[in-house]
Amino acid sequence: MIGLITKRAGMAAVTLFGVAVVVFGLLRVAPGDPIAMMIGPGATADDILRLRASYGLDQPLINQFWIWLGSLLQGDFGTSISRRIDVGQLLLERLPATIELALMALLVSMVLGGFIAIIGTLWRRHWASGAIDGVNGVLLAIPEFVWALALVLALGVAFPVLPLSGRINPSLTTDFRTGFSLLESLLIFRFDLAADLARHMTMPVLALALPLAGIIARVLREALSEAMMQDYVTLARVKGMSELRLILFEAMRNAIGPTLALTGVQFTFLIGGTVIVEKIFSYPGLGNMAIDAVVNRDFPLIQGLVLMFGVIFILINLLVDFAVVAFNPRLRHG
Protein backbone atom coordinates (compact mmCIF):
# COMPACT_ATOMS: atom_id res chain seq x y z
CA MET A 1 0.00 0.00 0.00
CA ILE A 2 2.85 2.40 0.83
CA GLY A 3 4.45 1.64 -2.51
CA LEU A 4 1.17 2.24 -4.33
CA ILE A 5 0.64 5.58 -2.59
CA THR A 6 4.22 6.64 -3.32
CA LYS A 7 3.83 5.71 -6.99
CA ARG A 8 0.56 7.61 -7.29
CA ALA A 9 2.03 10.65 -5.54
CA GLY A 10 4.94 10.69 -8.00
CA MET A 11 2.56 10.41 -10.96
CA ALA A 12 0.44 13.23 -9.51
CA ALA A 13 3.49 15.48 -9.18
CA VAL A 14 4.51 14.82 -12.79
CA THR A 15 0.95 15.47 -13.98
CA LEU A 16 0.70 18.75 -12.09
CA PHE A 17 4.08 19.86 -13.45
CA GLY A 18 2.86 19.13 -16.98
CA VAL A 19 -0.34 21.07 -16.32
CA ALA A 20 1.70 24.01 -15.01
CA VAL A 21 3.91 24.04 -18.12
CA VAL A 22 0.94 23.86 -20.50
CA VAL A 23 -1.18 26.53 -18.85
CA PHE A 24 1.80 28.87 -18.43
CA GLY A 25 2.79 28.50 -22.08
CA LEU A 26 -0.73 28.84 -23.49
CA LEU A 27 -1.42 32.00 -21.51
CA ARG A 28 1.74 33.67 -22.83
CA VAL A 29 1.05 32.64 -26.42
CA ALA A 30 -2.60 33.76 -26.44
CA PRO A 31 -3.21 37.33 -27.62
CA GLY A 32 -3.95 40.09 -25.13
CA ASP A 33 -2.04 41.99 -22.46
CA PRO A 34 -3.39 41.87 -18.88
CA ILE A 35 -1.54 45.07 -17.95
CA ALA A 36 -3.18 46.96 -20.81
CA MET A 37 -6.61 45.79 -19.61
CA MET A 38 -6.12 46.93 -16.02
CA ILE A 39 -4.20 50.18 -16.55
CA GLY A 40 -6.08 53.48 -16.50
CA PRO A 41 -6.57 55.58 -19.65
CA GLY A 42 -4.25 58.34 -18.37
CA ALA A 43 -1.34 56.08 -17.47
CA THR A 44 2.11 56.90 -18.82
CA ALA A 45 4.63 54.48 -20.32
CA ASP A 46 6.58 54.54 -17.05
CA ASP A 47 3.44 53.54 -15.13
CA ILE A 48 2.93 50.58 -17.45
CA LEU A 49 6.56 49.50 -17.05
CA ARG A 50 6.40 49.73 -13.26
CA LEU A 51 3.17 47.72 -13.13
CA ARG A 52 4.59 45.11 -15.51
CA ALA A 53 7.70 44.82 -13.33
CA SER A 54 5.61 44.44 -10.15
CA TYR A 55 3.98 41.32 -11.61
CA GLY A 56 7.25 40.02 -13.06
CA LEU A 57 6.02 40.28 -16.64
CA ASP A 58 9.16 42.13 -17.72
CA GLN A 59 11.29 39.01 -17.18
CA PRO A 60 12.08 36.43 -19.88
CA LEU A 61 9.44 33.68 -20.08
CA ILE A 62 11.69 30.98 -18.67
CA ASN A 63 12.52 33.20 -15.69
CA GLN A 64 8.83 33.97 -15.17
CA PHE A 65 8.04 30.25 -15.11
CA TRP A 66 10.72 29.30 -12.60
CA ILE A 67 9.87 32.25 -10.35
CA TRP A 68 6.19 31.24 -10.42
CA LEU A 69 7.02 27.56 -9.82
CA GLY A 70 9.29 28.42 -6.92
CA SER A 71 6.54 30.52 -5.37
CA LEU A 72 4.07 27.65 -5.80
CA LEU A 73 6.35 25.28 -3.92
CA GLN A 74 6.31 27.78 -1.05
CA GLY A 75 2.49 27.97 -1.12
CA ASP A 76 2.38 31.37 -2.83
CA PHE A 77 0.00 31.43 -5.83
CA GLY A 78 0.67 35.09 -6.54
CA THR A 79 -1.64 38.11 -6.56
CA SER A 80 -4.66 38.42 -8.81
CA ILE A 81 -4.18 41.15 -11.41
CA SER A 82 -7.87 42.03 -11.70
CA ARG A 83 -8.89 41.62 -8.03
CA ARG A 84 -5.63 42.67 -6.32
CA ILE A 85 -6.07 39.83 -3.80
CA ASP A 86 -3.93 36.79 -3.01
CA VAL A 87 -4.87 33.99 -5.43
CA GLY A 88 -4.62 31.31 -2.75
CA GLN A 89 -7.13 33.21 -0.60
CA LEU A 90 -9.53 33.53 -3.55
CA LEU A 91 -9.30 29.82 -4.31
CA LEU A 92 -9.96 28.82 -0.71
CA GLU A 93 -12.95 31.16 -0.52
CA ARG A 94 -14.60 29.82 -3.70
CA LEU A 95 -13.58 26.14 -3.54
CA PRO A 96 -16.16 25.01 -0.91
CA ALA A 97 -19.08 26.38 -2.94
CA THR A 98 -18.00 24.43 -6.03
CA ILE A 99 -17.37 21.25 -4.02
CA GLU A 100 -20.82 21.43 -2.42
CA LEU A 101 -22.45 22.02 -5.79
CA ALA A 102 -20.56 19.16 -7.47
CA LEU A 103 -21.18 16.68 -4.65
CA MET A 104 -24.90 17.47 -4.55
CA ALA A 105 -25.05 17.03 -8.33
CA LEU A 106 -23.20 13.71 -8.02
CA LEU A 107 -25.62 12.52 -5.32
CA VAL A 108 -28.68 13.46 -7.37
CA SER A 109 -27.26 11.86 -10.52
CA MET A 110 -26.46 8.61 -8.71
CA VAL A 111 -29.93 8.39 -7.17
CA LEU A 112 -31.72 9.27 -10.40
CA GLY A 113 -29.46 7.17 -12.63
CA GLY A 114 -29.64 4.20 -10.28
CA PHE A 115 -33.43 4.44 -10.11
CA ILE A 116 -33.74 4.53 -13.91
CA ALA A 117 -31.36 1.56 -14.29
CA ILE A 118 -33.18 -0.54 -11.68
CA ILE A 119 -36.63 0.23 -13.09
CA GLY A 120 -35.40 -0.42 -16.63
CA THR A 121 -33.93 -3.78 -15.58
CA LEU A 122 -37.04 -4.71 -13.64
CA TRP A 123 -39.30 -3.84 -16.59
CA ARG A 124 -36.91 -5.11 -19.27
CA ARG A 125 -39.65 -7.28 -20.81
CA HIS A 126 -42.39 -4.65 -20.35
CA TRP A 127 -43.64 -2.14 -22.91
CA ALA A 128 -42.46 0.70 -20.62
CA SER A 129 -38.86 -0.31 -21.30
CA GLY A 130 -38.89 1.68 -24.54
CA ALA A 131 -40.16 4.78 -22.75
CA ILE A 132 -37.39 4.47 -20.17
CA ASP A 133 -34.83 4.21 -22.98
CA GLY A 134 -36.31 7.35 -24.54
CA VAL A 135 -36.03 9.31 -21.28
CA ASN A 136 -32.48 8.11 -20.83
CA GLY A 137 -31.65 9.15 -24.39
CA VAL A 138 -32.91 12.67 -23.71
CA LEU A 139 -30.73 12.91 -20.60
CA LEU A 140 -27.70 11.78 -22.59
CA ALA A 141 -28.30 14.07 -25.57
CA ILE A 142 -28.70 17.41 -23.80
CA PRO A 143 -25.55 19.03 -22.29
CA GLU A 144 -25.36 20.84 -18.96
CA PHE A 145 -25.60 24.41 -20.21
CA VAL A 146 -28.73 23.62 -22.29
CA TRP A 147 -30.35 22.07 -19.22
CA ALA A 148 -29.37 25.19 -17.28
CA LEU A 149 -31.01 27.52 -19.81
CA ALA A 150 -34.12 25.30 -19.99
CA LEU A 151 -34.44 25.29 -16.19
CA VAL A 152 -34.06 29.06 -16.10
CA LEU A 153 -36.89 29.47 -18.60
CA ALA A 154 -39.11 26.85 -16.93
CA LEU A 155 -38.58 27.36 -13.19
CA GLY A 156 -37.27 30.91 -13.13
CA VAL A 157 -39.31 32.72 -15.80
CA ALA A 158 -42.42 30.78 -16.85
CA PHE A 159 -43.06 29.44 -13.33
CA PRO A 160 -40.87 31.54 -11.01
CA VAL A 161 -40.62 29.12 -8.10
CA LEU A 162 -36.83 29.08 -7.68
CA PRO A 163 -34.23 31.88 -7.43
CA LEU A 164 -32.29 32.55 -10.62
CA SER A 165 -28.91 33.55 -9.23
CA GLY A 166 -26.64 33.61 -6.21
CA ARG A 167 -26.07 31.14 -3.43
CA ILE A 168 -28.22 32.55 -0.63
CA ASN A 169 -30.70 35.34 -0.07
CA PRO A 170 -28.73 38.47 0.95
CA SER A 171 -31.46 39.43 3.46
CA LEU A 172 -30.73 36.37 5.59
CA THR A 173 -28.28 36.77 8.44
CA THR A 174 -25.28 34.57 7.78
CA ASP A 175 -22.17 34.08 9.87
CA PHE A 176 -20.59 30.95 8.44
CA ARG A 177 -17.16 29.97 9.69
CA THR A 178 -16.44 27.78 6.69
CA GLY A 179 -17.31 27.96 3.01
CA PHE A 180 -19.39 24.78 3.21
CA SER A 181 -22.53 26.76 3.93
CA LEU A 182 -25.11 24.02 3.37
CA LEU A 183 -23.36 21.50 5.59
CA GLU A 184 -22.61 24.07 8.28
CA SER A 185 -26.19 25.36 8.35
CA LEU A 186 -27.42 21.80 8.96
CA LEU A 187 -24.85 21.20 11.70
CA ILE A 188 -25.85 24.38 13.57
CA PHE A 189 -29.58 23.62 13.07
CA ARG A 190 -30.20 26.71 10.93
CA PHE A 191 -32.72 24.94 8.74
CA ASP A 192 -34.01 28.23 7.34
CA LEU A 193 -30.57 28.90 5.87
CA ALA A 194 -30.27 25.31 4.66
CA ALA A 195 -33.63 25.54 2.90
CA ASP A 196 -32.67 28.79 1.18
CA LEU A 197 -29.28 27.39 0.14
CA ALA A 198 -30.99 24.29 -1.24
CA ARG A 199 -33.45 26.42 -3.24
CA HIS A 200 -30.59 28.38 -4.81
CA MET A 201 -28.70 25.16 -5.60
CA THR A 202 -31.63 23.25 -7.09
CA MET A 203 -31.39 24.47 -10.69
CA PRO A 204 -27.57 24.35 -11.04
CA VAL A 205 -27.53 20.92 -9.36
CA LEU A 206 -30.16 19.58 -11.75
CA ALA A 207 -28.38 21.07 -14.77
CA LEU A 208 -25.18 19.25 -13.80
CA ALA A 209 -26.82 16.04 -12.58
CA LEU A 210 -29.19 15.18 -15.43
CA PRO A 211 -26.56 14.37 -18.11
CA LEU A 212 -24.50 12.34 -15.63
CA ALA A 213 -27.64 10.51 -14.50
CA GLY A 214 -28.19 9.39 -18.10
CA ILE A 215 -24.65 7.99 -18.31
CA ILE A 216 -24.96 6.18 -14.97
CA ALA A 217 -28.33 4.73 -15.96
CA ARG A 218 -27.02 3.47 -19.29
CA VAL A 219 -23.89 1.79 -17.89
CA LEU A 220 -25.56 0.38 -14.77
CA ARG A 221 -28.50 -1.02 -16.72
CA GLU A 222 -26.22 -2.81 -19.18
CA ALA A 223 -24.17 -4.23 -16.31
CA LEU A 224 -27.32 -5.34 -14.47
CA SER A 225 -28.74 -6.95 -17.60
CA GLU A 226 -25.55 -8.93 -18.06
CA ALA A 227 -25.46 -9.94 -14.40
CA MET A 228 -29.09 -11.08 -14.50
CA MET A 229 -28.14 -13.79 -17.01
CA GLN A 230 -25.48 -15.33 -14.78
CA ASP A 231 -25.90 -18.74 -13.14
CA TYR A 232 -25.89 -17.46 -9.56
CA VAL A 233 -28.86 -15.20 -10.34
CA THR A 234 -30.70 -18.09 -11.98
CA LEU A 235 -30.09 -20.22 -8.90
CA ALA A 236 -31.43 -17.49 -6.63
CA ARG A 237 -34.49 -17.14 -8.87
CA VAL A 238 -35.15 -20.88 -8.62
CA LYS A 239 -35.04 -20.55 -4.84
CA GLY A 240 -37.97 -18.11 -5.06
CA MET A 241 -36.25 -14.75 -4.72
CA SER A 242 -38.22 -11.84 -6.24
CA GLU A 243 -36.90 -9.93 -9.26
CA LEU A 244 -36.33 -6.75 -7.25
CA ARG A 245 -34.32 -8.62 -4.62
CA LEU A 246 -32.35 -10.35 -7.36
CA ILE A 247 -31.41 -6.97 -8.80
CA LEU A 248 -30.58 -5.28 -5.52
CA PHE A 249 -28.86 -8.08 -3.61
CA GLU A 250 -27.42 -10.37 -6.28
CA ALA A 251 -26.80 -8.56 -9.59
CA MET A 252 -25.96 -5.15 -8.12
CA ARG A 253 -22.80 -6.36 -6.39
CA ASN A 254 -21.15 -7.27 -9.68
CA ALA A 255 -22.66 -4.38 -11.67
CA ILE A 256 -21.54 -1.61 -9.30
CA GLY A 257 -17.81 -1.93 -10.09
CA PRO A 258 -17.70 -0.77 -13.72
CA THR A 259 -20.43 1.79 -13.01
CA LEU A 260 -18.44 3.29 -10.15
CA ALA A 261 -15.29 3.51 -12.28
CA LEU A 262 -17.08 5.32 -15.11
CA THR A 263 -18.93 7.58 -12.66
CA GLY A 264 -15.63 8.75 -11.23
CA VAL A 265 -14.31 9.60 -14.69
CA GLN A 266 -17.51 11.41 -15.60
CA PHE A 267 -17.48 13.27 -12.28
CA THR A 268 -14.31 15.01 -13.41
CA PHE A 269 -16.20 16.24 -16.47
CA LEU A 270 -19.00 17.37 -14.16
CA ILE A 271 -16.47 19.50 -12.26
CA GLY A 272 -15.49 21.07 -15.57
CA GLY A 273 -19.14 21.66 -16.40
CA THR A 274 -19.50 23.85 -13.32
CA VAL A 275 -17.65 26.62 -15.17
CA ILE A 276 -20.53 27.45 -17.52
CA VAL A 277 -23.34 26.45 -15.15
CA GLU A 278 -22.01 28.63 -12.34
CA LYS A 279 -21.76 31.57 -14.72
CA ILE A 280 -25.35 31.13 -15.92
CA PHE A 281 -26.69 31.11 -12.36
CA SER A 282 -24.14 33.63 -10.98
CA TYR A 283 -23.12 30.99 -8.46
CA PRO A 284 -20.07 32.15 -6.47
CA GLY A 285 -17.75 29.22 -7.15
CA LEU A 286 -14.50 28.49 -8.92
CA GLY A 287 -16.19 28.13 -12.31
CA ASN A 288 -17.76 31.56 -12.23
CA MET A 289 -14.47 33.10 -11.17
CA ALA A 290 -12.62 31.18 -13.92
CA ILE A 291 -14.62 32.86 -16.70
CA ASP A 292 -14.02 36.31 -15.18
CA ALA A 293 -10.31 35.54 -14.91
CA VAL A 294 -10.12 34.55 -18.59
CA VAL A 295 -12.00 37.65 -19.70
CA ASN A 296 -9.69 39.87 -17.65
CA ARG A 297 -6.54 37.99 -18.74
CA ASP A 298 -5.66 37.49 -15.08
CA PHE A 299 -2.58 35.27 -15.46
CA PRO A 300 -1.97 34.40 -11.77
CA LEU A 301 -5.63 33.62 -11.12
CA ILE A 302 -6.04 31.50 -14.27
CA GLN A 303 -2.89 29.54 -13.42
CA GLY A 304 -4.07 28.96 -9.86
CA LEU A 305 -7.53 27.87 -11.02
CA VAL A 306 -6.18 25.39 -13.56
CA LEU A 307 -3.83 23.87 -10.99
CA MET A 308 -6.69 23.66 -8.48
CA PHE A 309 -8.88 21.83 -11.01
CA GLY A 310 -5.91 19.55 -11.76
CA VAL A 311 -5.54 18.67 -8.07
CA ILE A 312 -9.28 17.97 -7.84
CA PHE A 313 -9.18 15.68 -10.88
CA ILE A 314 -6.20 13.74 -9.52
CA LEU A 315 -7.82 13.29 -6.10
CA ILE A 316 -11.07 12.10 -7.68
CA ASN A 317 -9.24 9.52 -9.78
CA LEU A 318 -7.36 8.27 -6.72
CA LEU A 319 -10.56 7.92 -4.71
CA VAL A 320 -12.27 6.10 -7.56
CA ASP A 321 -9.37 3.66 -7.90
CA PHE A 322 -9.45 2.84 -4.20
CA ALA A 323 -13.26 2.53 -4.24
CA VAL A 324 -13.19 0.12 -7.20
CA VAL A 325 -10.62 -2.04 -5.38
CA ALA A 326 -12.73 -1.95 -2.21
CA PHE A 327 -15.84 -3.15 -4.11
CA ASN A 328 -13.95 -5.84 -6.03
CA PRO A 329 -12.21 -8.39 -3.76
CA ARG A 330 -10.40 -9.93 -6.76
CA LEU A 331 -8.59 -6.66 -7.45
CA ARG A 332 -7.86 -6.21 -3.76
CA HIS A 333 -6.26 -9.64 -3.42
CA GLY A 334 -4.37 -9.17 -6.69
Side-chain angles (χ1 to χ4, degrees):
M1 180 62 68
I2 295 177
L4 177 62
I5 294 175
T6 303
K7 180 180 178 181
R8 292 300 179 87
M11 293 174 59
V14 173
T15 301
L16 287 176
F17 179 79
V19 171
V21 172
V22 170
V23 68
F24 184 90
L26 289 178
L27 286 177
R28 269 62 182 183
V29 171
D33 184 1
I35 301 301
M37 297 184 68
M38 67 180 295
I39 201 71
T44 64
D46 291 336
D47 295 331
I48 296 175
L49 290 175
R50 280 195 298 270
L51 190 58
R52 191 179 298 278
S54 66
Y55 286 98
L57 298 177
D58 59 336
Q59 300 283 335
L61 290 182
I62 188 64
N63 291 351
Q64 292 184 38
F65 177 76
W66 290 117
I67 291 172
W68 174 59
L69 189 62
S71 300
L72 282 179
L73 295 177
Q74 298 176 14
D76 182 9
F77 284 80
T79 303
S80 169
I81 294 176
S82 59
R83 299 171 183 258
R84 315 291 178 87
I85 302 176
D86 181 69
V87 171
Q89 179 184 343
L90 285 172
L91 295 177
L92 292 178
E93 288 176 356
R94 296 292 189 98
L95 178 61
T98 296
I99 291 178
E100 275 196 343
L101 181 64
L103 290 179
M104 288 297 297
L106 177 63
L107 178 62
V108 171
S109 65
M110 292 177 65
V111 172
L112 181 58
F115 176 77
I116 294 174
I118 292 171
I119 294 298
T121 305
L122 189 64
W123 292 351
R124 60 191 180 278
R125 298 184 183 90
H126 196 270
W127 63 267
S129 178
I132 294 174
D133 289 337
V135 171
N136 196 35
V138 171
L139 296 178
L140 288 169
I142 301 177
E144 294 94 344
F145 69 92
V146 177
W147 279 116
L149 296 175
L151 289 169
V152 167
L153 293 175
L155 302 179
V157 179
F159 303 97
V161 295
L162 293 173
L164 287 172
S165 62
R167 192 181 183 193
I168 193 170
N169 192 330
S171 64
L172 294 176
T173 302
T174 57
D175 188 20
F176 295 117
R177 296 185 179 181
T178 67
F180 298 95
S181 304
L182 181 61
L183 177 61
E184 186 175 346
S185 61
L186 292 173
L187 293 177
I188 62 176
F189 303 106
R190 288 294 306 273
F191 299 114
D192 57 331
L193 296 179
D196 190 74
L197 286 163
R199 291 181 69 249
H200 281 79
M201 291 177 66
T202 298
M203 285 199 287
V205 163
L206 286 176
L208 291 169
L210 291 176
L212 181 56
I215 296 174
I216 293 174
R218 172 68 62 83
V219 175
L220 181 58
R221 184 176 176 182
E222 291 179 356
L224 285 173
S225 298
E226 182 179 351
M228 292 295 287
M229 295 185 293
Q230 300 301 315
D231 292 339
Y232 66 90
V233 175
T234 303
L235 180 61
R237 184 181 290 111
V238 171
K239 292 181 179 179
M241 187 175 291
S242 66
E243 285 294 310
L244 182 59
R245 291 190 63 191
L246 285 174
I247 295 171
L248 295 179
F249 299 105
E250 297 294 332
M252 185 64 75
R253 287 183 295 179
N254 283 335
I256 197 66
T259 305
L260 183 63
L262 182 65
T263 300
V265 174
Q266 292 297 323
F267 183 56
T268 60
F269 292 105
L270 183 147
I271 295 287
T274 60
V275 174
I276 298 178
V277 171
E278 286 184 2
K279 189 63 177 179
I280 292 175
F281 293 102
S282 297
Y283 190 83
L286 290 178
N288 195 351
M289 187 169 63
I291 292 181
D292 292 337
V294 172
V295 171
N296 295 319
R297 299 282 295 163
D298 194 334
F299 285 177
L301 185 54
I302 296 173
Q303 293 166 173
L305 283 165
V306 173
L307 285 179
M308 179 62 71
F309 278 116
V311 170
I312 293 174
F313 293 162
I314 290 171
L315 291 178
I316 290 173
N317 288 326
L318 287 175
L319 290 175
V320 169
D321 289 344
F322 287 125
V324 170
V325 172
F327 275 99
N328 193 332
R330 290 175 297 180
L331 294 176
R332 184 165 62 250
H333 294 315

